[in-house]
Amino acid sequence: HSVAVLGAPFSKGQKRRGVEHGPKAIRDAGLIERLSNLDYPVHDFGDLSFQNLDKDEPYMQVPFPRSVGRANKLLSEAVGSAVASGHTTVMLGGDHSLAIGSVEGHARQCPDLCLIWVDAHADINTPLTSPSGNLHGQSVAFMLKELQNKMPELPGFSWVKPFLSAKDLVYIGLRDVDPGEYDILKELGIQCFTMRDIDRLGIQRVMEVTLDHLLSRKQRPIHLSFDIDAMDPSLAPATGTPVNGGLTYREGIWITEEIHNTGLLSVMDLVEVNPVLGASREAVEVTASLAVDIIASSLGQSRQGGLLGPLGIP
Ligand code: ARG
Ligand code: MN
Ligand code: MN
Ligand code: MN
């Protein structure tokens, strides 16, 4: 198979400047070169270009609805055609509102996909529950069939129809969930592994249960939506909504290795790297190079050495 890389330099799913430079920061950290060390062709499709809308008034506290809706429609088409061409697709954000278009475009090609959301946040607010109004905290609410009657019609989003069932989604890394989100997660019985669950069970068990939950009935394509703020802020400081007590480097890599080992990864998002928010150049570089490690590991970069196969205890 082959890999497609698609940049989405977009930031209007939240109010801080800079996350639109995420794709460049991740490429500058050597992404394409690292992926070409793996054993398949890499196609860099470059960055999408998003038009600026000069009139985009907030709609019930939600800023930039038309811009976010339109950017996601474009992204959905680009991801859909990369998947249709047979590429394992990597989407570089940009803020996490871009998952709406990425997962939607993927789902149009692969209606039976499942979604693994690795994040400090659940991003499942509706415009009515959201404390910030920001659409990057609402992406999942646009996807879920079960939330259809809780979602108002937002300008810019008439093209999105809910396509995912709550049972086809698992969260990993949660530690900052808003009250309205908590109620939704509870009511829909969504499988969640918070940082507390990871402390208790260990990341190995968490991945075992995650993959069993999603894949035991049938093998199906996986969409991995990885928010860099899932990682501990000491490892990923250059991001807009950092939360202490995140994933260790080795927990992050374990998650991606286990997903790679299923052979079912079809699309991944790597979002919320914000090079403007790093306190120093070094802070930006560690964040972007962590993003490269997470992507490479998801695509098969191994800690076991290339040609030898598994080392040590089987
Ligand atoms: N829950 C908060 C909100 O709704 C924060 C969301 C952060 N989301 C993100 N993709 N970083 O605004
Ligand atoms: Mn987050
Ligand atoms: Mn997120
Ligand atoms: Mn492999």
Side-chain angles (χ1 to χ4, degrees):
H1 55 184
S2 55
V3 172
V5 175
L6 187 60
F10 182 79
S11 62
K12 288 189 168 164
Q14 45 84 66
K15 299 179 198 91
R16 311 187 73 164
R17 296 281 68 144
V19 71
E20 70 276 15
H21 303 300
K24 176 167 170 21
I26 297 168
R27 282 204 177 82
D28 288 351
L31 177 68
I32 303 299
E33 199 191 332
R34 281 282 286 290
L35 297 186
S36 35
N37 294 334
L38 306 173
D39 44 12
Y40 28 63
V42 179
H43 304 265
D44 188 351
F45 284 62
D47 290 354
L48 292 170
S49 61
F50 300 110
Q51 282 167 304
N52 227 14
L53 295 177
D54 10 86
K55 240 187 100 63
D56 193 0
E57 296 309 310
Y59 183 83
M60 352 170 353
Q61 323 274 42
V62 175
F64 317 120
R66 297 161 196 83
S67 304
V68 176
R70 185 202 281 221
N72 274 286
K73 186 165 192 286
L74 189 70
L75 178 60
S76 162
E77 283 155 14
V79 168
S81 67
V83 171
S85 307
H87 304 302
T88 303
T89 302
V90 178
M91 188 280 281
L92 308 175
D95 73 64
H96 216 167
S97 70
L98 293 163
I100 301 169
S102 178
V103 185
E104 202 272 348
H106 187 192
R108 271 189 296 109
Q109 298 300 320
C110 307
D112 64 338
L113 67 74
C114 59
L115 176 58
I116 302 178
W117 196 276
V118 181
D119 202 326
H121 310 95
D123 297 344
I124 198 167
N125 276 299
T126 71
L128 296 139
T129 67
S130 173
S132 64
N134 296 337
L135 282 162
H136 77 156
Q138 305 176 37
S139 323
V140 177
F142 287 86
M143 303 177 197
L144 289 185
K145 295 175 187 165
E146 289 88 344
L147 290 177
Q148 189 146 31
N149 55 17
K150 294 199 164 105
M151 289 295 286
E153 286 270 346
L154 229 59
F157 287 88
S158 59
W159 60 277
V160 196
K161 298 287 167 266
F163 53 85
L164 189 75
S165 299
K167 64 176 189 339
D168 300 323
L169 163 64
V170 175
Y171 284 105
I172 301 171
L174 300 184
R175 57 193 182 277
D176 182 9
V177 173
D178 298 323
E181 295 185 298
Y182 178 87
D183 294 341
I184 291 169
L185 294 173
K186 196 98 194 176
E187 187 185 324
L188 301 185
I190 295 173
Q191 180 77 253
C192 296
F193 295 101
T194 64
M195 287 312 300
R196 187 176 162 77
D197 296 320
I198 295 170
D199 285 342
R200 186 178 43 182
L201 299 170
I203 197 64
Q204 186 277 334
R205 180 68 184 147
V206 165
M207 288 313 293
E208 194 170 285
V209 179
T210 295
L211 296 173
D212 186 70
H213 178 88
L214 296 172
L215 304 174
S216 64
R217 280 175 47 253
K218 59 172 189 286
Q219 301 279 292
R220 60 223 285 236
I222 296 174
H223 189 114
L224 168 62
S225 206
F226 202 116
D227 185 328
I228 199 71
D229 73 29
M231 302 301 291
D232 192 78
S234 59
L235 303 167
T239 193
T241 50
V243 189
N244 279 333
L247 297 171
T248 65
Y249 185 91
R250 281 159 58 178
E251 286 167 340
I253 296 299
W254 180 269
I255 292 168
T256 52
E257 285 174 344
E258 288 298 287
I259 291 173
H260 169 76
N261 287 342
T262 65
L264 295 167
L265 180 64
S266 176
V267 177
M268 85 174 283
D269 313 317
L270 194 302
V271 298
E272 299 283 353
V273 172
N274 187 333
V276 170
L277 296 179
S280 61
R281 213 178 101 172
E282 197 185 311
V284 174
E285 283 170 4
V286 299
T287 309
S289 110
L290 175 60
V292 171
D293 290 350
I294 289 166
I295 296 167
S297 174
S298 302
L299 295 173
Q301 179 176 292
S302 161
R303 290 185 282 176
Q304 303 272 35
L307 301 168
L308 294 172
L311 295 169
I313 300 164

